[in-house]
Amino acid sequence: MDRGQAKLRRRPRVPLALWMALGIGAGLATGALWPDLGAALQPVGTAFIDAIRMVVIPLVFCAVTLGASRIADDASRLGRTALVAFGWFYLASAASIAIALVLNAVFHPGLGAGLLASGHVPQNLPLRVDWVKFVLDLIPSNVVAAMAAQKVLPTLVFAMLFGLALGALGQEARPVTAALEAVLGAMFRITRWVVTTAPLAVFAISAWLAATQGVGALVALAKLAGTLYLGYALLFVVLLVVIRVAGERPLWVARQVMGPMLLAFATRSSEVALPPHIERLEQIGVPKRVVAVVLPLGYSFNLDGSALYLGAAVTFLAEAYGLHLSGSALLTILVTTLIASKGVANVPASSLVALATVLTAIGLPAEAIAVVTGIDAVLDMGRAGINVFGNTAAVLVVRHFGGLPERTSATGEAPALELVPQPSSSAA
């Protein structure tokens, strides 16, 4: 090898997360300065999001099936893992909502607001959670149709049962699990290809956002947005502490998942970040059996940023409508939001449905959500990013307390650290 080749190989690569951050900034500037160009870039962002969603269902199915098959021989361990996971999901959501209530009590962003509805309420928006339908929807009568409709929860249920059945069959199921491992590897490869275009995609999405929302919309309801982003920052710090308690280096972990977080932030979708998030956690040493089981569940039931948003939005609207928030009203908001945020996990426009559910529970009209939907795009970016980091913490908590063996470490020590440089330019 000559010196020139050695120098080229030693040249540090620019992290993909940095390229995406630059793409977001350049896109916002482009959309603000040249709105027509920014609006015309929407198809680029749409194509990227569709390409990521294309692999979500097959990836989740393969990952959950393989994860369940690996722990099928130890039912008690699987039960403990599920117990710890859902216990943490509810605890984290309750903490997120509590942060929102405390911030509202300090800043009162909606007090005397007198705002007018700047958005619109989706037609036929449910005003409550239909629990019977929710439970029945978990059992797909046609799993292929459920997958085709991008229904993650029914896919999770079937994949879990299928994986447990494969694990019970033992060596007889080895050809099937081998095929699923190959499919999963192919899905990760496609994800890497798609994610390499992420800087261009987030540039287009950010340009479209700035062009269509306008500068005025970005500063409207600034007090609510400022309060929410302060809440996101506080929740981020809390999650760093949780990661430290789980035995990891918090800032190191945050750097490793910054790529999926920025992807969710720019696209305003946690779901889009799921495939690279799964791969990234495995690359830094988190056992596959933990990632495969906990992360897909977390993306359905553990949306900490969304829970914080719901608490802040409800209290904001209550004060904007002149409703006095007594202790009992705050407790009603906390409990109802906690339940509603989990009960709408399989419902389209789940955040709006949960928000409508809580509003009607405290006596406000569901149409009040139109007040905040005008800047929902701005608020959605932060909550999607925090959702990703919250699920990172959830995976590490379950790995530490869930009774699963830690075959590798996510602390950055060898050999896990050796996995980090290679994929950082494609799947960070």
Side-chain angles (χ1 to χ4, degrees):
M1 181 186 301
D2 58 34
R3 292 183 178 179
Q5 289 176 325
K7 187 176 294 185
L8 284 174
R9 294 194 64 177
R10 289 195 301 268
R11 182 177 298 170
R13 296 177 179 178
V14 178
L16 184 64
L18 178 58
W19 283 117
M20 287 199 291
L22 293 174
I24 292 171
L28 291 175
T30 300
L33 295 174
W34 300 286
D36 292 340
L37 174 60
L41 291 174
Q42 181 185 8
V44 178
T46 302
F48 174 82
I49 293 174
D50 288 345
I52 288 288
R53 286 178 173 166
M54 173 179 65
V55 302
V56 166
I57 290 296
L59 189 148
V60 166
F61 173 74
C62 293
V64 174
T65 299
L66 291 171
S69 68
R70 293 186 184 109
I71 56 179
D73 57 342
D74 194 340
S76 62
R77 183 171 291 164
L78 176 61
R80 180 177 174 182
T81 300
L83 183 64
V84 172
F86 278 95
W88 171 252
F89 293 166
Y90 277 95
L91 179 62
S93 295
S96 302
I97 299 166
I99 289 174
L101 299 184
V102 170
L103 289 177
N104 181 80
V106 173
F107 297 106
H108 297 286
L111 201 60
L115 295 172
L116 297 175
S118 54
H120 66 280
V121 181
Q123 293 183 350
N124 302 321
L125 184 70
L127 301 183
R128 61 184 181 87
V129 177
D130 188 339
W131 291 102
V132 175
K133 187 176 185 302
F134 172 78
V135 173
L136 291 178
D137 283 347
L138 293 178
I139 307 171
S141 58
N142 186 332
V143 68
V144 176
M147 291 181 178
Q150 294 280 311
K151 294 182 177 179
V152 176
L153 280 183
T155 302
L156 278 174
V157 172
F158 178 77
M160 184 69 70
L161 294 174
F162 189 51
L164 292 175
L166 291 177
L169 290 174
Q171 288 300 318
E172 295 180 37
R174 183 56 193 162
V176 178
T177 57
L180 290 175
E181 287 169 355
V183 174
L184 183 62
M187 292 302 103
F188 279 139
R189 183 63 59 89
I190 294 173
T191 299
R192 293 192 194 104
W193 292 341
V194 175
V195 171
T196 54
T197 66
L200 176 61
V202 299
F203 166 79
I205 293 168
S206 301
W208 171 80
L209 177 66
T212 56
Q213 298 294 317
V215 177
L218 296 179
V219 297
L221 303 177
K223 197 172 181 181
L224 171 62
T227 303
L228 259 175
Y229 274 86
L230 175 60
Y232 294 149
L234 291 175
L235 181 56
F236 183 82
V237 173
V238 170
L239 293 172
L240 289 176
V241 175
V242 169
I243 290 173
R244 184 68 186 91
V245 172
E248 307 297 341
R249 292 189 293 168
L251 295 180
W252 184 87
V253 171
R255 287 196 299 270
Q256 301 310 310
V257 298
M258 189 57 66
M261 286 177 62
L262 283 174
L263 187 60
F265 180 87
T267 60
R268 300 164 47 206
S269 172
S270 304
E271 181 188 63
V272 170
L274 177 58
H277 195 193
I278 290 176
E279 187 174 27
R280 192 60 180 153
L281 289 177
E282 292 181 357
Q283 287 165 352
I284 65 175
V286 183
K288 290 183 178 181
R289 61 177 65 188
V290 181
V291 177
V293 173
V294 178
L295 202 60
L297 284 175
Y299 270 75
S300 294
F301 292 102
N302 185 50
L303 303 179
D304 299 334
S306 297
L308 192 150
Y309 161 78
L310 289 173
V314 169
T315 50
F316 170 82
L317 291 172
E319 291 191 337
Y321 274 78
L323 180 66
H324 173 64
L325 293 177
S326 61
S328 59
L330 291 174
L331 182 60
T332 300
I333 291 173
L334 175 63
V335 175
T336 309
T337 303
L338 184 61
I339 297 173
S341 63
K342 307 305 179 190
V344 297
N346 198 32
V347 178
S350 59
S351 292
L352 292 180
V353 175
L355 184 53
T357 301
V358 181
L359 287 175
T360 54
I362 61 174
L364 291 178
E367 290 75 13
I369 65 174
V371 174
V372 295
T373 52
I375 60 164
D376 191 62
V378 179
L379 307 180
D380 210 8
M381 298 172 79
R383 69 176 179 247
I386 290 297
N387 285 342
V388 172
F389 195 60
N391 280 306
T392 300
V395 168
L396 297 178
V397 166
V398 174
R399 193 204 65 173
H400 188 71
F401 298 103
L404 293 173
E406 299 186 19
R407 296 181 178 178
T408 52
S409 171
T411 59
E413 303 298 333
L417 187 59
E418 296 173 359
L419 296 174
V420 175
Q422 178 64 27
S424 62
S425 63
S426 60

